[in-house]
Amino acid sequence: MNIIFATNNAHKLSEVQAVLGDGFRLLTPRDCAITEELPETQTTLEGNARQKARYLYNHTGHDCFADDTGLEVEALGGAPGVHSARYATDGHDFAANNRLLLRNLEGKTDRRARFRTVICLILGGEEHLFEGIVEGRIIDQERGTAGFGYDPLFIPEGCDRTFAEMDAATKNALSHRGRAVRKLADYLHSIEK
Ligand code: ITT
Protein backbone atom coordinates (compact mmCIF):
# COMPACT_ATOMS: atom_id res chain seq x y z
CA MET A 1 0.00 0.00 0.00
CA ASN A 2 1.28 3.49 -0.92
CA ILE A 3 0.57 6.21 1.60
CA ILE A 4 1.88 9.76 1.95
CA PHE A 5 3.50 10.73 5.23
CA ALA A 6 3.41 14.49 5.77
CA THR A 7 6.98 15.05 6.85
CA ASN A 8 10.22 16.46 5.54
CA ASN A 9 12.14 15.16 8.56
CA ALA A 10 14.30 12.22 7.36
CA HIS A 11 14.73 10.84 10.90
CA LYS A 12 10.98 10.65 11.41
CA LEU A 13 10.50 9.06 7.99
CA SER A 14 12.92 6.22 8.75
CA GLU A 15 11.51 5.68 12.27
CA VAL A 16 7.98 5.41 10.93
CA GLN A 17 8.95 3.22 7.94
CA ALA A 18 10.71 0.81 10.34
CA VAL A 19 7.56 0.44 12.47
CA LEU A 20 5.13 0.13 9.55
CA GLY A 21 7.26 -2.46 7.73
CA ASP A 22 7.65 -3.36 4.07
CA GLY A 23 3.92 -3.71 3.38
CA PHE A 24 3.64 0.07 3.27
CA ARG A 25 5.51 2.34 0.88
CA LEU A 26 5.79 5.79 2.38
CA LEU A 27 5.80 8.74 0.01
CA THR A 28 6.73 12.24 1.13
CA PRO A 29 5.17 15.55 0.10
CA ARG A 30 8.21 16.15 -2.12
CA ASP A 31 7.51 12.86 -3.95
CA CYS A 32 4.13 14.43 -4.80
CA ALA A 33 5.67 17.72 -5.97
CA ILE A 34 4.62 19.56 -2.80
CA THR A 35 7.68 21.59 -1.92
CA GLU A 36 6.15 24.27 0.32
CA GLU A 37 6.15 23.91 4.13
CA LEU A 38 2.94 22.25 5.26
CA PRO A 39 0.81 24.61 7.36
CA GLU A 40 1.09 24.05 11.12
CA THR A 41 -0.64 27.05 12.68
CA GLN A 42 -2.96 25.43 15.22
CA THR A 43 -2.60 25.59 19.01
CA THR A 44 -2.72 21.85 19.71
CA LEU A 45 -0.87 18.76 18.46
CA GLU A 46 -4.20 17.31 17.32
CA GLY A 47 -5.01 20.50 15.41
CA ASN A 48 -1.65 20.57 13.66
CA ALA A 49 -1.74 16.88 12.73
CA ARG A 50 -5.22 17.39 11.24
CA GLN A 51 -4.20 20.57 9.45
CA LYS A 52 -1.15 18.97 7.79
CA ALA A 53 -3.05 15.82 6.79
CA ARG A 54 -5.99 17.81 5.35
CA TYR A 55 -3.65 20.06 3.39
CA LEU A 56 -1.98 17.05 1.84
CA TYR A 57 -5.26 15.28 1.13
CA ASN A 58 -6.78 18.38 -0.46
CA HIS A 59 -3.73 18.83 -2.70
CA THR A 60 -3.27 15.19 -3.74
CA GLY A 61 -6.55 13.33 -3.12
CA HIS A 62 -4.34 10.49 -1.87
CA ASP A 63 -4.52 8.55 1.41
CA CYS A 64 -2.10 10.18 3.82
CA PHE A 65 -1.19 10.80 7.42
CA ALA A 66 0.55 13.50 9.40
CA ASP A 67 1.96 13.57 12.89
CA ASP A 68 2.78 16.28 15.36
CA THR A 69 4.89 15.77 18.44
CA GLY A 70 5.55 17.87 21.49
CA LEU A 71 7.75 17.60 24.54
CA GLU A 72 5.62 18.48 27.57
CA VAL A 73 7.71 19.41 30.62
CA GLU A 74 5.93 19.37 33.96
CA ALA A 75 7.89 22.17 35.68
CA LEU A 76 7.35 24.41 32.64
CA GLY A 77 3.59 24.02 32.61
CA GLY A 78 3.65 21.71 29.58
CA ALA A 79 6.08 23.81 27.50
CA PRO A 80 7.52 23.64 24.91
CA GLY A 81 4.56 21.44 23.86
CA VAL A 82 3.11 22.41 20.53
CA HIS A 83 6.00 24.89 20.10
CA SER A 84 8.70 22.22 20.41
CA ALA A 85 10.19 22.74 16.93
CA ARG A 86 10.42 26.51 17.30
CA TYR A 87 11.16 26.79 21.03
CA ALA A 88 14.38 28.81 20.80
CA THR A 89 14.35 30.12 17.22
CA ASP A 90 12.15 30.33 14.16
CA GLY A 91 13.81 27.32 12.55
CA HIS A 92 14.33 23.73 13.68
CA ASP A 93 17.53 24.47 15.63
CA PHE A 94 17.80 21.37 17.84
CA ALA A 95 20.96 22.53 19.65
CA ALA A 96 19.47 25.93 20.51
CA ASN A 97 16.22 24.30 21.68
CA ASN A 98 18.15 21.99 23.99
CA ARG A 99 20.20 24.86 25.42
CA LEU A 100 17.05 26.87 26.13
CA LEU A 101 15.34 23.89 27.75
CA LEU A 102 18.31 23.37 30.08
CA ARG A 103 18.41 27.08 30.93
CA ASN A 104 14.68 27.14 31.74
CA LEU A 105 15.07 24.08 33.98
CA GLU A 106 18.10 25.39 35.90
CA GLY A 107 17.57 24.91 39.64
CA LYS A 108 14.35 22.91 39.13
CA THR A 109 14.21 19.54 40.85
CA ASP A 110 11.01 18.36 39.15
CA ARG A 111 12.40 17.00 35.85
CA ARG A 112 9.33 15.02 34.73
CA ALA A 113 8.45 15.26 31.05
CA ARG A 114 6.63 13.33 28.37
CA PHE A 115 6.73 13.15 24.62
CA ARG A 116 3.31 13.04 23.01
CA THR A 117 2.62 12.25 19.35
CA VAL A 118 -0.69 12.62 17.58
CA ILE A 119 -1.20 11.09 14.14
CA CYS A 120 -4.05 12.05 11.84
CA LEU A 121 -4.77 9.50 9.10
CA ILE A 122 -7.02 10.37 6.17
CA LEU A 123 -8.14 7.23 4.42
CA GLY A 124 -10.79 7.34 1.71
CA GLY A 125 -11.53 10.88 2.91
CA GLU A 126 -12.21 9.84 6.52
CA GLU A 127 -10.12 11.06 9.46
CA HIS A 128 -8.76 8.90 12.27
CA LEU A 129 -6.57 10.03 15.21
CA PHE A 130 -3.96 7.95 17.06
CA GLU A 131 -1.93 9.00 20.11
CA GLY A 132 1.33 7.78 21.64
CA ILE A 133 2.88 8.94 24.91
CA VAL A 134 6.13 8.16 26.69
CA GLU A 135 6.79 9.44 30.20
CA GLY A 136 10.31 10.24 31.35
CA ARG A 137 12.61 12.95 32.65
CA ILE A 138 14.99 15.65 31.44
CA ILE A 139 18.63 15.31 32.51
CA ASP A 140 20.96 18.26 33.04
CA GLN A 141 23.38 17.72 30.16
CA GLU A 142 23.18 16.14 26.73
CA ARG A 143 24.09 12.47 26.34
CA GLY A 144 24.32 10.48 23.09
CA THR A 145 24.34 11.29 19.40
CA ALA A 146 21.60 9.13 17.88
CA GLY A 147 18.07 10.32 17.08
CA PHE A 148 17.24 14.01 16.85
CA GLY A 149 15.64 16.94 18.65
CA TYR A 150 15.43 16.62 22.44
CA ASP A 151 16.61 12.97 22.41
CA PRO A 152 19.98 13.67 24.13
CA LEU A 153 18.16 15.16 27.14
CA PHE A 154 15.29 12.68 27.59
CA ILE A 155 15.41 9.43 29.58
CA PRO A 156 12.25 7.34 29.31
CA GLU A 157 10.77 5.92 32.51
CA GLY A 158 12.39 2.67 33.64
CA CYS A 159 15.59 3.33 31.61
CA ASP A 160 19.01 4.74 32.38
CA ARG A 161 19.89 5.84 28.84
CA THR A 162 18.65 8.80 26.83
CA PHE A 163 16.87 8.22 23.52
CA ALA A 164 20.07 9.52 21.87
CA GLU A 165 22.03 6.67 23.49
CA MET A 166 19.72 3.99 22.02
CA ASP A 167 19.69 2.40 18.61
CA ALA A 168 16.68 3.17 16.43
CA ALA A 169 14.88 -0.12 17.18
CA THR A 170 15.15 0.37 20.95
CA LYS A 171 13.89 3.96 20.73
CA ASN A 172 11.01 2.88 18.49
CA ALA A 173 9.97 0.14 20.92
CA LEU A 174 9.55 2.69 23.72
CA SER A 175 8.83 5.99 22.04
CA HIS A 176 5.77 8.18 21.68
CA ARG A 177 6.01 7.97 17.88
CA GLY A 178 6.58 4.19 17.93
CA ARG A 179 3.46 3.77 20.08
CA ALA A 180 1.30 6.01 17.90
CA VAL A 181 2.56 4.41 14.69
CA ARG A 182 1.89 0.88 16.00
CA LYS A 183 -1.74 1.94 16.61
CA LEU A 184 -1.85 3.31 13.06
CA ALA A 185 -0.30 0.09 11.69
CA ASP A 186 -2.78 -2.10 13.64
CA TYR A 187 -5.64 -0.09 12.19
CA LEU A 188 -4.31 -0.26 8.62
CA HIS A 189 -3.72 -4.01 8.92
CA SER A 190 -7.19 -4.57 10.39
CA ILE A 191 -8.92 -2.97 7.42
CA GLU A 192 -6.71 -4.77 4.88
CA LYS A 193 -8.20 -8.12 5.97
P1 ITT B 1 7.92 17.78 10.31
O1 ITT B 1 6.92 18.81 10.77
O2 ITT B 1 8.56 18.07 8.98
O3 ITT B 1 7.39 16.38 10.35
P2 ITT B 1 9.29 18.41 12.80
O4 ITT B 1 10.76 18.32 13.14
O5 ITT B 1 8.64 19.75 12.89
O6 ITT B 1 9.15 17.74 11.37
P3 ITT B 1 7.36 17.60 14.83
O7 ITT B 1 6.54 18.79 14.53
O8 ITT B 1 6.63 16.30 14.97
O9 ITT B 1 8.53 17.40 13.75
O10 ITT B 1 8.15 17.77 16.16
C1 ITT B 1 8.36 19.03 16.73
C2 ITT B 1 9.70 19.06 17.42
O11 ITT B 1 9.65 18.18 18.56
C3 ITT B 1 10.88 18.57 16.59
O12 ITT B 1 11.41 19.60 15.81
C4 ITT B 1 11.84 18.10 17.66
O13 ITT B 1 12.52 19.20 18.23
C5 ITT B 1 10.90 17.54 18.72
N1 ITT B 1 10.72 16.09 18.53
C6 ITT B 1 9.74 15.47 17.84
N2 ITT B 1 9.89 14.15 17.88
C7 ITT B 1 10.99 13.91 18.62
C8 ITT B 1 11.69 12.76 19.03
O14 ITT B 1 11.28 11.55 18.67
N3 ITT B 1 12.78 12.90 19.78
C9 ITT B 1 13.21 14.12 20.15
N4 ITT B 1 12.64 15.26 19.79
C10 ITT B 1 11.54 15.17 19.04
Side-chain angles (χ1 to χ4, degrees), residues 54-67:
R54 281 182 192 161
Y55 184 91
L56 211 47
Y57 187 73
N58 289 341
H59 283 74
T60 64
H62 201 289
D63 294 335
C64 60
F65 66 94
D67 80 330

PDB file of all heavy atoms in Angstrom, residues 54-67:
ATOM      1  N   ARG A  54      -4.951  17.280   6.252  1.00  0.00           N
ATOM      2  CA  ARG A  54      -5.994  17.806   5.353  1.00  0.00           C
ATOM      3  C   ARG A  54      -5.381  18.548   4.181  1.00  0.00           C
ATOM      4  O   ARG A  54      -5.862  18.459   3.047  1.00  0.00           O
ATOM      5  CB  ARG A  54      -6.911  18.761   6.125  1.00  0.00           C
ATOM      6  CG  ARG A  54      -7.926  18.030   6.951  1.00  0.00           C
ATOM      7  CD  ARG A  54      -8.839  19.009   7.670  1.00  0.00           C
ATOM      8  NE  ARG A  54      -9.623  18.308   8.678  1.00  0.00           N
ATOM      9  CZ  ARG A  54     -10.226  18.902   9.701  1.00  0.00           C
ATOM     10  NH1 ARG A  54     -10.131  20.215   9.863  1.00  0.00           N
ATOM     11  NH2 ARG A  54     -10.929  18.205  10.550  1.00  0.00           N
ATOM     12  N   TYR A  55      -4.326  19.308   4.458  1.00  0.00           N
ATOM     13  CA  TYR A  55      -3.650  20.061   3.395  1.00  0.00           C
ATOM     14  C   TYR A  55      -3.166  19.099   2.311  1.00  0.00           C
ATOM     15  O   TYR A  55      -3.389  19.303   1.117  1.00  0.00           O
ATOM     16  CB  TYR A  55      -2.476  20.833   3.994  1.00  0.00           C
ATOM     17  CG  TYR A  55      -1.751  21.721   3.014  1.00  0.00           C
ATOM     18  CD1 TYR A  55      -2.138  23.049   2.836  1.00  0.00           C
ATOM     19  CD2 TYR A  55      -0.677  21.241   2.267  1.00  0.00           C
ATOM     20  CE1 TYR A  55      -1.469  23.870   1.936  1.00  0.00           C
ATOM     21  CE2 TYR A  55      -0.008  22.047   1.360  1.00  0.00           C
ATOM     22  CZ  TYR A  55      -0.416  23.366   1.209  1.00  0.00           C
ATOM     23  OH  TYR A  55       0.244  24.179   0.318  1.00  0.00           O
ATOM     24  N   LEU A  56      -2.525  18.033   2.779  1.00  0.00           N
ATOM     25  CA  LEU A  56      -1.979  17.053   1.844  1.00  0.00           C
ATOM     26  C   LEU A  56      -3.092  16.349   1.076  1.00  0.00           C
ATOM     27  O   LEU A  56      -3.007  16.149  -0.143  1.00  0.00           O
ATOM     28  CB  LEU A  56      -1.188  16.026   2.665  1.00  0.00           C
ATOM     29  CG  LEU A  56       0.004  15.362   2.055  1.00  0.00           C
ATOM     30  CD1 LEU A  56       0.916  16.372   1.384  1.00  0.00           C
ATOM     31  CD2 LEU A  56       0.763  14.611   3.148  1.00  0.00           C
ATOM     32  N   TYR A  57      -4.144  15.981   1.781  1.00  0.00           N
ATOM     33  CA  TYR A  57      -5.259  15.282   1.134  1.00  0.00           C
ATOM     34  C   TYR A  57      -5.921  16.189   0.091  1.00  0.00           C
ATOM     35  O   TYR A  57      -6.212  15.770  -1.033  1.00  0.00           O
ATOM     36  CB  TYR A  57      -6.275  14.825   2.182  1.00  0.00           C
ATOM     37  CG  TYR A  57      -7.353  13.962   1.583  1.00  0.00           C
ATOM     38  CD1 TYR A  57      -7.082  12.656   1.192  1.00  0.00           C
ATOM     39  CD2 TYR A  57      -8.633  14.469   1.367  1.00  0.00           C
ATOM     40  CE1 TYR A  57      -8.064  11.867   0.607  1.00  0.00           C
ATOM     41  CE2 TYR A  57      -9.617  13.683   0.787  1.00  0.00           C
ATOM     42  CZ  TYR A  57      -9.323  12.384   0.409  1.00  0.00           C
ATOM     43  OH  TYR A  57     -10.284  11.609  -0.176  1.00  0.00           O
ATOM     44  N   ASN A  58      -6.128  17.449   0.468  1.00  0.00           N
ATOM     45  CA  ASN A  58      -6.776  18.383  -0.460  1.00  0.00           C
ATOM     46  C   ASN A  58      -5.925  18.629  -1.705  1.00  0.00           C
ATOM     47  O   ASN A  58      -6.448  18.909  -2.774  1.00  0.00           O
ATOM     48  CB  ASN A  58      -7.056  19.726   0.233  1.00  0.00           C
ATOM     49  CG  ASN A  58      -8.162  19.587   1.262  1.00  0.00           C
ATOM     50  OD1 ASN A  58      -8.936  18.625   1.224  1.00  0.00           O
ATOM     51  ND2 ASN A  58      -8.215  20.512   2.221  1.00  0.00           N
ATOM     52  N   HIS A  59      -4.600  18.554  -1.557  1.00  0.00           N
ATOM     53  CA  HIS A  59      -3.728  18.828  -2.698  1.00  0.00           C
ATOM     54  C   HIS A  59      -3.409  17.593  -3.526  1.00  0.00           C
ATOM     55  O   HIS A  59      -2.897  17.715  -4.642  1.00  0.00           O
ATOM     56  CB  HIS A  59      -2.424  19.493  -2.234  1.00  0.00           C
ATOM     57  CG  HIS A  59      -2.603  20.941  -1.909  1.00  0.00           C
ATOM     58  ND1 HIS A  59      -3.237  21.382  -0.760  1.00  0.00           N
ATOM     59  CD2 HIS A  59      -2.266  22.065  -2.592  1.00  0.00           C
ATOM     60  CE1 HIS A  59      -3.266  22.696  -0.750  1.00  0.00           C
ATOM     61  NE2 HIS A  59      -2.689  23.136  -1.845  1.00  0.00           N
ATOM     62  N   THR A  60      -3.646  16.400  -2.988  1.00  0.00           N
ATOM     63  CA  THR A  60      -3.267  15.186  -3.741  1.00  0.00           C
ATOM     64  C   THR A  60      -4.448  14.233  -3.947  1.00  0.00           C
ATOM     65  O   THR A  60      -4.415  13.412  -4.862  1.00  0.00           O
ATOM     66  CB  THR A  60      -2.170  14.386  -2.984  1.00  0.00           C
ATOM     67  OG1 THR A  60      -2.731  13.926  -1.743  1.00  0.00           O
ATOM     68  CG2 THR A  60      -0.934  15.237  -2.737  1.00  0.00           C
ATOM     69  N   GLY A  61      -5.436  14.275  -3.056  1.00  0.00           N
ATOM     70  CA  GLY A  61      -6.552  13.330  -3.116  1.00  0.00           C
ATOM     71  C   GLY A  61      -6.123  11.925  -2.724  1.00  0.00           C
ATOM     72  O   GLY A  61      -6.864  10.952  -2.899  1.00  0.00           O
ATOM     73  N   HIS A  62      -4.926  11.801  -2.163  1.00  0.00           N
ATOM     74  CA  HIS A  62      -4.339  10.492  -1.870  1.00  0.00           C
ATOM     75  C   HIS A  62      -4.435  10.205  -0.366  1.00  0.00           C
ATOM     76  O   HIS A  62      -4.362  11.121   0.447  1.00  0.00           O
ATOM     77  CB  HIS A  62      -2.864  10.533  -2.303  1.00  0.00           C
ATOM     78  CG  HIS A  62      -2.281   9.172  -2.543  1.00  0.00           C
ATOM     79  ND1 HIS A  62      -2.011   8.288  -1.522  1.00  0.00           N
ATOM     80  CD2 HIS A  62      -1.909   8.555  -3.695  1.00  0.00           C
ATOM     81  CE1 HIS A  62      -1.491   7.186  -2.036  1.00  0.00           C
ATOM     82  NE2 HIS A  62      -1.425   7.311  -3.343  1.00  0.00           N
ATOM     83  N   ASP A  63      -4.563   8.914  -0.005  1.00  0.00           N
ATOM     84  CA  ASP A  63      -4.519   8.547   1.410  1.00  0.00           C
ATOM     85  C   ASP A  63      -3.210   9.050   2.023  1.00  0.00           C
ATOM     86  O   ASP A  63      -2.142   8.951   1.394  1.00  0.00           O
ATOM     87  CB  ASP A  63      -4.576   7.022   1.571  1.00  0.00           C
ATOM     88  CG  ASP A  63      -5.908   6.458   1.110  1.00  0.00           C
ATOM     89  OD1 ASP A  63      -6.910   7.210   1.134  1.00  0.00           O
ATOM     90  OD2 ASP A  63      -5.955   5.274   0.719  1.00  0.00           O
ATOM     91  N   CYS A  64      -3.300   9.572   3.238  1.00  0.00           N
ATOM     92  CA  CYS A  64      -2.104  10.175   3.819  1.00  0.00           C
ATOM     93  C   CYS A  64      -2.233  10.248   5.334  1.00  0.00           C
ATOM     94  O   CYS A  64      -3.328  10.049   5.883  1.00  0.00           O
ATOM     95  CB  CYS A  64      -1.897  11.588   3.272  1.00  0.00           C
ATOM     96  SG  CYS A  64      -3.251  12.702   3.627  1.00  0.00           S
ATOM     97  N   PHE A  65      -1.128  10.502   5.986  1.00  0.00           N
ATOM     98  CA  PHE A  65      -1.191  10.797   7.421  1.00  0.00           C
ATOM     99  C   PHE A  65      -0.124  11.816   7.782  1.00  0.00           C
ATOM    100  O   PHE A  65       0.873  11.981   7.078  1.00  0.00           O
ATOM    101  CB  PHE A  65      -1.074   9.521   8.278  1.00  0.00           C
ATOM    102  CG  PHE A  65       0.239   8.806   8.209  1.00  0.00           C
ATOM    103  CD1 PHE A  65       1.236   9.059   9.134  1.00  0.00           C
ATOM    104  CD2 PHE A  65       0.474   7.855   7.225  1.00  0.00           C
ATOM    105  CE1 PHE A  65       2.449   8.384   9.087  1.00  0.00           C
ATOM    106  CE2 PHE A  65       1.685   7.177   7.165  1.00  0.00           C
ATOM    107  CZ  PHE A  65       2.683   7.444   8.094  1.00  0.00           C
ATOM    108  N   ALA A  66      -0.392  12.501   8.894  1.00  0.00           N
ATOM    109  CA  ALA A  66       0.545  13.502   9.405  1.00  0.00           C
ATOM    110  C   ALA A  66       0.667  13.289  10.896  1.00  0.00           C
ATOM    111  O   ALA A  66      -0.279  12.813  11.539  1.00  0.00           O
ATOM    112  CB  ALA A  66       0.010  14.910   9.129  1.00  0.00           C
ATOM    113  N   ASP A  67       1.831  13.632  11.444  1.00  0.00           N
ATOM    114  CA  ASP A  67       1.956  13.566  12.894  1.00  0.00           C
ATOM    115  C   ASP A  67       2.423  14.907  13.421  1.00  0.00           C
ATOM    116  O   ASP A  67       2.988  15.719  12.697  1.00  0.00           O
ATOM    117  CB  ASP A  67       2.920  12.453  13.333  1.00  0.00           C
ATOM    118  CG  ASP A  67       4.376  12.860  13.221  1.00  0.00           C
ATOM    119  OD1 ASP A  67       4.712  13.675  12.353  1.00  0.00           O
ATOM    120  OD2 ASP A  67       5.178  12.359  14.021  1.00  0.00           O
TER     121      ASP A  67
END
